[in-house]
Amino acid sequence: MSDYLTYVWRPVTGGRHAFPITATKVPAGDQVVAFCGAESNAVELHDWSEVDWIREGTCMDCWHVLTIRPCP
């Protein structure tokens, strides 16, 4: 098992999606892709509040992808 994060959950527009950890380093304005295929502007990965976590539901497609992928 990895000692480092390999993905992050973020409450972007349309749901709480999982993104590869590398997506957090993408410049604002560029698109990033969640594990389910949903696209978002990279700035959305950093521009959220605690209320956003409550409002946005967990993307079950991302959840499923992460549950079937092998641990690094």
Side-chain angles (χ1 to χ4, degrees), residues 46-67:
H46 305 286
D47 188 21
W48 53 269
S49 70
E50 295 298 320
V51 173
D52 294 326
W53 279 94
I54 296 167
R55 279 192 232 163
E56 298 292 346
T58 298
C59 173
M60 295 313 292
D61 291 336
C62 284
W63 184 268
H64 180 71
V65 169
L66 292 173
T67 61

Side-chain angles (χ1 to χ4, degrees), residues 24-47:
T24 63
K25 306 295 184 202
V26 173
D30 288 353
Q31 292 295 106
V32 290
V33 180
F35 282 98
C36 69
E39 294 185 19
S40 179
N41 186 313
V43 74
E44 287 192 70
L45 299 185
H46 305 286
D47 188 21

Side-chain angles (χ1 to χ4, degrees), residues 1-8 20-22 69 71-72:
M1 180 153 79
S2 174
D3 290 338
Y4 302 101
L5 289 175
T6 58
Y7 61 90
V8 293
I21 195 68
T22 55
R69 87 185 250 247
C71 292

